């Protein structure tokens, strides 16, 4: 009898060991995870999985968001760690990472580390917090990571910092974009080839100095060229996208044909066009100017593509600043910033991958856009709008700098959320449908009257892409795109243009990662303040109480069992 029981126990042990071995073998070859969150926070996109699985060499990541952090930044650090862990599931040993506290080590090590980070543009984020004693404390946080691959390095800013959002909201936005930021950096640093894009010339577009900052930024991802069209209908074929930045001279019929057939063959175009001819520089010279219609011979082409830029100028209560002298005659110059209603701060739409989590975009003499030709097979999305309190001036319009001295009457600003930038995706119709080729186009290729599925972005302001240039003698100083000297604020212009170009060039859906949305579940601050002691006490006593109950039950069970 004893031998039989012993044999039974050995059989059970062997069975358990065998089952454990089988389960482990299945687990090695059949991997799965279950994401129970409503937003699928821990589920990577299919594109991300395929990309990680195809990595052939090691990508190493240093994360500097580490050390003495507050709760919000600790959550961001933990989410970054979890994301990189998830990456390793698919990339295996080809993903390596470490978390580094920038302030650890000796003073010399700290100085060297911070100097290296500064050279990569990683400036600290100041965080102000109220302590339990009511005093505000300031700490420096470095929400950055650096990706290393084959001798190359690429910094990543992990923190979204959208104006008007609270700290908690910005940290939540940062969580939403983590996957996109890391995968985008991995793709850029591991790619041996760059797509080609081009700035169009020949119609008095913005020159190289005017778009130098955005050109430098785009050059990190793309090969950027500039040039005129000429008579070769295939001149744009090598380029994934073409940027037309504030043209001021008429397009010839051959130029329109080349652009049209480029679009028909699947090319992507970003139009940044002024419908009204007026600039702040011309206004400053005399203090007054007249805005007139800018006829550059593309209205019919844009209309055929489903867009009409209206010959109006938007005034907006939510506007940028211009420098104004308040000194009286004979006194020393005194320059102060004053609201300028003709420089609306445009609101990015939160539901599009280009403009999601974007700061407001500054503009100058912007017009409105209407969509037409609704029978076109196009998916249309408004990207930028005016604020709730807007109005439009019809051309010709007289504008004077004296307007800064007048307090706007909000009752006059009755128009709301006027569209100023639009993205279109789908099949376009050719403007040369039922028309002859221009005489100077020598090509036997028949005219394409319907496009391959493609994309287009139209912005009713050419200055959105223009950086400011200051001259010291003959030496130009290029300011960052979107930077406002008067308020020391950087608006979202650069991010808007970069995202727009990425969207145009994206055939694999990577930009969709920017559309992720996580619900922010905020704590009730009044309840936290009133009930914090109660919950601290509960968390201290409850585990001990439940442990005592379990111990009592175990003791009671053993007593009854052994008594029998």
């Amino acid at each position: 009898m004893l031998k039989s029981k012993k044999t039974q126990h050995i059989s059970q042990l062997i069975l358990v060991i065998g089952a454990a071995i089988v389960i482990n073998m299945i687990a090695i070859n059949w991997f799965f995870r279950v994401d129970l969150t409503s937003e699928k926070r821990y589920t990577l996109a299919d594109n991300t999985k395929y990309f990680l699985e195809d990595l052939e060499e090691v990508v190493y990541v240093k994360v500097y968001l580490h050390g003495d952090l507050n709760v919000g930044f600790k959550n961001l650090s933990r989410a970054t760690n979890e994301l990189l862990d998830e990456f390793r599931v698919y990339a295996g040993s080809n993903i390596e990472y470490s978390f580094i506290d920038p302030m650890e080590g000796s003073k010399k090590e700290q100085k060297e580390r911070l100097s290296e980070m500064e050279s990569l543009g990683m400036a600290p984020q100041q965080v102000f917090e109220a302590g339990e004693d009511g005093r505000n404390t300031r700490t420096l946080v470095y929400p950055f990571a650096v990706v290393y691959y084959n001798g190359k390095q690429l910094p990543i800013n992990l923190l979204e910092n959208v104006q008007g959002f609270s700290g908690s909201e910005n940290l939540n936005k940062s969580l939403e974009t983590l996957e996109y930021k890391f995968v985008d950096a991995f793709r850029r640093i591991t790619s041996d080839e760059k797509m080609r894009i081009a700035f169009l010339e020949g119609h008095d577009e913005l020159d190289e100095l005017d778009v130098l900052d955005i050109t430098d930024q785009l050059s990190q991802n793309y090969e950027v060229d500039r040039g005129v069209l000429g008579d070769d209908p295939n001149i744009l074929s090598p380029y994934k996208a073409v940027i037309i930045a504030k043209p001021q001279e008429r397009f010839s019929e051959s130029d329109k044909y080349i652009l049209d057939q480029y679009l028909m063959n699947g090319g992507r175009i970003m139009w940044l066009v002024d419908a009204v001819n007026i600039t702040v520089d011309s206004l400053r010279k005399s203090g007054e100017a007249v805005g007139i219609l800018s006829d550059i011979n593309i209205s019919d082409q844009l209309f055929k593509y489903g867009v009409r830029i209206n010959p109006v100028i938007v005034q907006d209560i939510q506007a940028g600043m211009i420098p104004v002298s308040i000194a009286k005659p004979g006194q020393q110059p005194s320059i102060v910033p004053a609201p300028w209603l003709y420089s609306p701060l445009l609101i990015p739409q939160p539901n599009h991958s280009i403009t999601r989590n974007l700061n407001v975009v500054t503009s100058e003499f912007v017009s409105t856009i209407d969509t037409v030709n609704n029978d076109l097979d196009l998916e249309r999305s408004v990207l930028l709008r005016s604020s709730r309190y807007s109005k439009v001036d019809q051309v010709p319009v007289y504008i004077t700098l004296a307007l800064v001295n007048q307090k706007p009457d909000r009752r006059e600003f009755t128009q709301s959320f006027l569209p100023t930038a639009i993205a279109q995706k789908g099949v376009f119709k050719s403007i040369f449908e039922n028309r002859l080729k221009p005489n100077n186009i020598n090509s036997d290729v028949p005219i394409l009257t319907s496009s391959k599925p493609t994309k287009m972005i139209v912005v009713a302001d050419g200055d959105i892409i223009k950086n400011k240039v200051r001259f010291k003698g003959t030496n130009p100083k290029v300011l960052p795109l979107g930077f406002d000297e008067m308020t020391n604020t950087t608006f979202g212009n650069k991010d808007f243009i970069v995202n727009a170009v990425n969207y145009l060039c994206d055939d694999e859906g990577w930009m969709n990662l920017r559309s992720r949305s996580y619900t922010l579940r905020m704590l009730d601050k009044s309840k936290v303040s009133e009930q914090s002691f109660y919950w601290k006490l509960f968390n201290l006593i409850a585990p001990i109480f439940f442990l005592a109950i379990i111990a009592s039950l175990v003791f009671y069970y053993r007593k009854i069992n052994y008594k029998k």
Side-chain angles (χ1 to χ4, degrees):
M1 187 72 177
L2 290 174
K3 187 175 181 181
S4 175
K5 283 188 177 182
K6 186 176 180 181
T7 304
Q8 185 178 2
H9 289 323
I10 293 173
S11 301
Q12 289 176 349
L13 180 61
I14 293 173
L15 185 63
V16 170
I17 293 173
I21 293 172
V22 171
I23 291 172
N24 275 279
M25 292 178 65
I26 293 174
I28 291 171
N29 296 285
W30 182 47
F31 166 79
F32 73 96
R33 292 189 179 190
V34 179
D35 185 352
L36 300 179
T37 60
S38 59
E39 306 102 336
K40 298 302 176 185
R41 290 188 177 218
Y42 307 105
T43 302
L44 299 181
D46 290 339
N47 283 1
T48 301
K49 296 175 185 177
Y50 300 146
F51 172 79
L52 294 171
E53 289 170 351
D54 290 339
L55 279 178
E56 297 179 352
E57 296 186 54
V58 174
V59 176
Y60 179 64
V61 183
K62 279 185 183 179
V63 182
Y64 291 99
L65 189 59
H66 195 56
D68 186 16
L69 306 172
N70 66 13
V71 174
F73 282 102
K74 279 183 179 177
N75 288 338
L76 182 58
S77 178
R78 183 172 61 251
T80 303
N81 197 342
E82 291 171 350
L83 179 69
L84 293 172
D85 279 342
E86 194 75 11
F87 281 1
R88 293 198 67 178
V89 170
Y90 298 94
S93 59
N94 284 329
I95 294 287
E96 295 181 1
Y97 64 89
S98 59
F99 281 70
I100 298 170
D101 182 356
M103 306 311 295
E104 70 181 1
S106 65
K107 293 289 185 183
K108 182 181 178 182
E109 290 174 334
Q110 291 179 25
K111 186 176 180 180
E112 290 176 352
R113 187 181 298 118
L114 296 180
S115 177
E116 179 187 357
M117 294 170 67
E118 185 179 355
S119 68
L120 293 173
M122 297 190 293
Q125 176 75 29
Q126 296 188 56
V127 178
F128 296 91
E129 287 188 293
E132 293 186 359
D133 57 359
R135 290 184 299 179
N136 281 330
T137 58
R138 183 185 75 107
T139 56
L140 297 180
V141 177
Y142 293 85
F144 299 99
V146 181
V147 180
Y148 298 87
Y149 180 81
N150 279 350
K152 297 182 288 185
Q153 57 185 9
L154 189 63
I156 306 174
N157 185 355
L158 305 177
L159 179 65
E160 294 291 327
N161 198 5
V162 182
Q163 291 180 0
F165 285 10
S166 68
S168 298
E169 289 172 322
N170 275 318
L171 286 167
N172 190 62
K173 300 296 180 187
S174 303
L175 296 175
E176 293 174 346
T177 58
L178 273 183
E179 182 179 346
Y180 172 77
K181 287 182 176 181
F182 275 102
V183 175
D184 182 58
F186 290 176
R187 289 174 58 234
R188 285 160 54 188
I189 203 167
T190 58
S191 176
D192 294 326
E193 296 182 4
K194 292 183 178 181
M195 293 182 186
R196 299 178 68 185
I197 63 174
F199 281 87
L200 195 64
E201 292 182 337
H203 314 92
D204 195 21
E205 288 90 353
L206 297 176
D207 62 29
E208 290 183 68
L209 207 56
D210 289 327
V211 294
L212 185 60
D213 186 50
I214 192 61
T215 301
D216 289 344
Q217 183 69 35
L218 291 172
S219 296
Q220 297 180 16
N221 300 349
Y222 305 95
E223 184 180 332
V224 184
D225 294 333
R226 298 181 64 91
V228 298
L229 292 176
D231 297 331
D232 181 3
N234 299 313
I235 193 170
L236 296 178
S237 298
Y239 297 102
K240 190 69 175 180
V242 172
I243 301 173
I244 304 174
K246 197 178 180 179
Q248 298 176 74
E249 293 182 359
R250 290 175 64 85
F251 283 68
S252 67
E253 289 302 305
S254 62
D255 288 345
K256 293 167 68 174
Y257 176 83
I258 293 172
L259 286 169
D260 178 82
Q261 292 302 290
Y262 168 71
L263 183 71
M264 295 303 110
N265 280 285
R268 289 89 192 273
I269 305 177
M270 185 174 185
W271 307 81
L272 299 111
V273 179
D274 284 347
V276 181
N277 188 13
I278 188 172
T279 65
V280 169
D281 291 336
S282 64
L283 191 61
R284 283 173 180 157
K285 290 178 181 177
S286 60
E288 57 187 18
V290 176
I292 59 175
L293 179 66
S294 177
D295 182 13
I296 55 175
N297 194 32
I298 59 170
S299 296
D300 58 338
Q301 190 164 9
L302 291 177
F303 191 92
K304 186 71 174 182
Y305 301 152
V307 171
R308 178 176 60 223
I309 302 179
N310 300 309
V312 299
I313 296 180
V314 176
Q315 289 192 59
D316 200 320
I317 294 293
Q318 179 178 286
M321 301 283 187
I322 60 170
V324 175
S325 176
I326 60 172
K328 295 180 180 179
Q331 294 181 342
Q332 288 279 10
S334 179
I335 306 297
V336 297
W340 181 238
L341 304 184
Y342 289 101
S343 292
L345 299 180
L346 304 175
I347 302 172
Q349 295 308 288
N351 56 353
H352 198 280
S353 59
I354 294 176
T355 48
R356 183 168 180 77
N357 298 334
L358 206 66
N359 274 330
V360 293
V361 173
T362 183
S363 63
E364 184 177 295
F365 298 118
V366 64
S367 301
T368 62
I369 293 180
D370 288 336
T371 56
V372 293
N373 290 351
N374 292 328
D375 57 333
L376 293 173
D377 183 18
L378 295 175
E379 177 185 326
R380 292 160 162 165
S381 303
V382 174
L383 302 178
L384 300 174
R385 297 181 189 265
S386 66
S387 78
R388 183 181 298 276
Y389 301 102
S390 313
K391 71 174 184 177
V392 297
D393 293 339
Q394 303 287 337
V395 295
V397 54
Y398 172 74
I399 299 175
T400 172
L401 283 177
L403 289 172
V404 298
N405 299 318
Q406 300 176 13
K407 185 177 181 180
D409 185 353
R410 184 162 291 193
R411 292 173 298 180
E412 297 178 2
F413 292 78
T414 57
Q415 295 171 282
S416 300
F417 308 122
L418 302 172
T420 59
I422 286 180
Q424 299 190 121
K425 179 172 64 174
V427 177
F428 296 85
K429 296 296 182 181
S430 170
I431 188 178
F432 285 89
E433 185 178 20
N434 303 321
R435 289 172 60 177
L436 296 175
K437 294 179 185 177
N439 293 330
N440 57 334
I441 296 294
N442 296 317
S443 174
D444 296 330
V445 178
I447 297 174
L448 293 178
T449 59
S450 185
S451 79
K452 299 176 182 177
T454 187
K455 305 172 187 176
M456 176 189 296
I457 292 173
V458 182
V459 183
D461 179 25
D463 292 299
I464 277 180
I465 198 173
K466 181 180 179 181
N467 54 246
K468 295 177 182 177
V469 182
R470 298 289 180 257
F471 284 89
K472 189 174 183 180
T474 58
N475 298 321
K477 178 185 177 183
V478 176
L479 300 181
L481 176 59
F483 178 70
D484 180 20
E485 299 168 283
M486 303 300 296
T487 59
N488 198 32
T489 301
T490 300
F491 295 105
N493 296 52
K494 185 187 293 189
D495 290 335
F496 172 74
I497 298 297
V498 170
N499 290 345
V501 174
N502 289 343
Y503 169 82
L504 290 175
C505 297
D506 180 20
D507 290 328
E508 300 174 352
W510 293 109
M511 286 293 289
N512 293 334
L513 295 178
R514 295 196 78 254
S515 301
R516 287 200 161 193
S517 178
Y518 296 162
T519 302
L520 182 62
R521 298 172 175 88
M522 300 290 291
L523 294 176
D524 189 323
K525 291 185 177 180
S526 62
K527 287 186 177 180
V528 170
S529 176
E530 294 171 2
Q531 303 177 15
S532 61
F533 177 76
Y534 165 77
W535 288 109
K536 287 177 182 177
L537 189 63
F538 177 82
N539 287 329
L540 179 65
I541 296 176
I544 300 173
F545 176 74
F546 285 113
L547 187 62
I549 291 177
I550 293 172
S552 300
L553 291 173
V554 169
F555 176 77
Y556 180 75
Y557 170 78
R558 288 171 60 86
K559 183 178 179 181
I560 296 299
N561 191 48
Y562 283 104
K563 192 173 183 179
K564 291 180 180 180

